[in-house]
């Protein structure tokens, strides 16, 4: 499959593994890239820039194909030394970075000076236009269905992807709600050049999280998410559990971030993935849980998506279009 995205970013398939906090580790990013997609190591999952350097080296033991690093720029409980993480990324020879969360402008000169391509993930057309204007190399446009931070506009992918395509001339992939070949074909039809998947890759053999959390994703439906931090304008879509429902309740009753900090801290949420108790803290998951029924390897998942997309385009859709032509004739 060739699209402007695969050409610009040098990957075989237009399928990206989203940069997920606590999940985007070497095992997953390496497996996705080895299977022909674009894997991403999540920088802030590594406690220090030195740990990130080691994680990049671990991924290189899994694949010699290109993989990237996600750098999320959002509020954190502890300040992040972004400058040091940026240096760790370029010193390790990484050539693709996914920025997400806020304006990538402060990072652009440094990355471009070091021949790093920047794929910026954002949740509105105006932010995509801004990112294109500051010179990013690709856009990942993230609909309201997504896990993690969907922004505050609540525009679902069906509208957002097509609306963004009207303004974006550089390679653009679609994010939020993708899990299979149907989604890939839909994204391409809406004008995107590929897809980004987070929750779907969480639920793979190589994903470095506890098996019980993967099983929970399989069991969950599209209804099993909560939107936390709405009142703080830092909305995050996470799996529905006692902790996320309690967070929503406290904030809706006028609580401040300090009132929920103990509930939502990432150091607590990571225990969900380590110990396999889906009720232990906050963990991210999207509405796409309703489309996830198994735990395949990354290679099987990617080849299945590509085969399914091919079948939809070349058999189902072309038969429908052909049938229409026959009726007209
Ligand atoms: P953390 O422990 O520092 O914070 C936990 C959560 O609280 C995060 O969602 C963070 O955005 C939010 N938060 C922190 N301070 C806040 C404040 N003053 N006001 C409002 N919200 C606040 O974060 P972490 O779990 O170690 O994650 C590190 C980074 O990765 C954060 O920026 C987080 O937002 C981001 N993240 C992204 C995803 C994703 O799916 N893309 C998922 C989890 C976390």
């Amino acid at each position: 499959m060739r699209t402007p995205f695969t050409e610009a970013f040098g990957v075989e398939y237009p399928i990206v593994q989203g940069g997920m906090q606590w999940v985007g580790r070497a095992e997953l990013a390496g497996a996705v890239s080895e299977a022909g997609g674009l894997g991403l190591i999540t920088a802030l999952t590594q406690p220090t820039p030195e740990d990130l350097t080691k994680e990049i080296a671990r991924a290189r033991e899994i694949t010699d194909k290109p993989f990237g690093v996600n750098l999320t720029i959002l509020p954190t409980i502890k300040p992040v030394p972004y400058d040091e993480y940026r240096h760790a990324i370029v010193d390790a020879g990484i050539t693709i970075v996914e920025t997400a969360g806020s304006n990538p402008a402060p990072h652009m000169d440094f990355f471009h000076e070091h021949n790093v391509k920047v794929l910026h993930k954002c949740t509105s057309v105006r932010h995509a236009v801004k990112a294109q204007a500051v010179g990013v190399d690709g856009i990942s446009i993230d609909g309201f269905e997504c896990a993690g931070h969907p922004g505050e506009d609540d525009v679902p992918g069906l509208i957002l992807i097509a609306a963004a395509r009207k303004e974006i001339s550089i390679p653009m992939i679609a994010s939020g709600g993708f899990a299979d070949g149907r989604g890939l074909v839909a994204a391409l039809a809406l004008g995107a050049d590929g897809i980004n998947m987070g929750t779907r890759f969480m639920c793979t053999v190589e994903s470095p999280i506890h098996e019980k959390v993967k099983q929970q994703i399989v069991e969950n439906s599209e209804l099993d998410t909560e939107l936390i931090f709405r009142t703080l304008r830092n909305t995050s879509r996470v799996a529905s559990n006692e902790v996320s429902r309690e967070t929503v309740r406290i904030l809706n009753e006028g609580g401040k971030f300090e009132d929920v900090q103990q509930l939502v801290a990432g150091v607590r949420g990571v225990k969900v993935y380590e110990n396999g108790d889906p009720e232990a803290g906050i963990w991210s998951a999207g509405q796409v849980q309703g489309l996830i029924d198994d735990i395949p390897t990354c290679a099987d998942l990617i080849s299945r998506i590509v085969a399914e997309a091919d079948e939809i385009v070349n058999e189902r859709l072309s038969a429908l279009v052909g049938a229409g032509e026959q009726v007209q004739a």
Side-chain angles (χ1 to χ4, degrees):
M1 289 186 96
R2 285 186 155 204
T3 74
F5 176 79
T6 62
E7 298 294 293
F9 286 83
V11 289
E12 200 175 343
Y13 299 117
I15 299 175
V16 177
Q17 165 246 315
M20 296 167 277
Q21 182 67 345
W22 312 124
V23 184
R25 298 181 192 267
E27 293 82 357
L28 182 59
V32 172
S33 284
E34 184 60 18
L38 177 62
L40 295 174
I41 290 178
T42 303
L44 304 190
T45 294
Q46 300 303 319
T48 67
E50 294 72 38
D51 292 308
L52 177 59
T53 305
K54 288 183 200 150
E55 196 68 3
I56 292 169
R58 282 207 315 124
R60 289 227 166 89
E61 286 168 16
I62 299 169
T63 187
D64 52 14
K65 295 186 184 171
F67 59 88
V69 171
N70 161 280
L71 192 62
T72 295
I73 314 149
L74 280 168
T76 46
I77 293 170
K78 265 174 52 189
V80 172
Y82 280 105
D83 192 38
E84 293 173 27
Y85 277 97
R86 275 201 314 254
H87 275 94
I89 291 167
V90 302
D91 290 349
I94 289 290
T95 56
I96 300 172
V97 163
E98 180 196 60
T99 51
S102 46
N103 190 347
H107 307 277
M108 290 304 302
D109 286 350
F110 182 80
F111 282 137
H112 276 173
E113 275 163 23
H114 292 87
N115 298 318
V116 174
K117 289 202 163 147
V118 176
L119 175 64
H120 183 64
K121 184 152 85 176
C122 53
T123 57
S124 74
V125 176
R126 66 186 182 286
H127 292 143
V129 167
K130 183 76 195 279
Q132 179 173 250
V134 304
V136 300
D137 304 279
I139 296 288
S140 178
I141 192 80
D142 202 11
F144 187 53
E145 304 89 331
C146 70
H149 296 268
E152 310 303 325
D153 294 342
D154 304 0
V155 181
L158 196 57
I159 310 296
L160 188 63
I161 299 161
R165 185 78 283 178
K166 289 201 283 181
E167 310 290 337
I168 299 302
S169 53
I170 58 176
M172 183 184 88
I173 59 168
S175 183
F178 295 102
D180 53 31
R182 295 170 297 185
L184 175 55
V185 174
L188 296 174
L190 290 167
D193 303 310
I195 54 173
N196 175 84
M197 306 192 300
T199 309
R200 178 60 275 195
F201 277 121
M202 266 172 88
C203 202
T204 56
V205 170
E206 295 91 341
S207 164
I209 64 172
H210 200 285
E211 199 63 20
K212 282 194 180 148
V213 183
K214 299 179 193 178
Q215 285 298 345
Q216 188 68 53
I217 293 172
V218 169
E219 280 165 34
N220 280 356
S221 84
E222 62 278 15
L223 301 177
D224 293 314
T225 72
E226 302 292 334
L227 292 167
I228 60 171
F229 303 151
R230 290 247 83 168
T231 57
L232 306 176
R233 295 191 61 76
N234 182 30
T235 300
S236 184
R237 188 185 294 283
V238 299
S240 185
N241 63 15
E242 281 300 322
V243 184
S244 57
R245 290 190 291 271
E246 175 73 351
T247 302
V248 171
R249 189 188 63 73
I250 293 170
L251 292 174
N252 281 351
E253 287 172 0
K256 303 205 167 15
F257 180 72
E258 293 66 35
D259 301 318
V260 296
Q261 181 168 325
Q262 295 306 316
L263 291 171
V264 303
V267 286
R268 175 172 174 169
V270 71
K271 302 282 178 224
V272 170
Y273 302 132
E274 286 172 357
N275 302 337
D277 176 4
E279 292 292 327
I282 296 287
W283 55 285
S284 294
Q287 293 180 317
V288 77
Q289 289 177 115
L291 303 180
I292 295 174
D293 304 318
D294 62 358
I295 307 169
T297 64
C298 292
D300 285 350
L301 177 64
I302 289 176
S303 59
R304 184 169 83 195
I305 290 172
V306 172
E308 197 185 353
D310 183 60
E311 194 264 336
I312 292 169
V313 172
N314 292 314
E315 294 180 31
R316 184 158 181 272
L317 295 185
S318 42
L320 288 174
V321 172
E325 281 167 359
Q326 276 170 15
V327 170
Q328 277 178 358

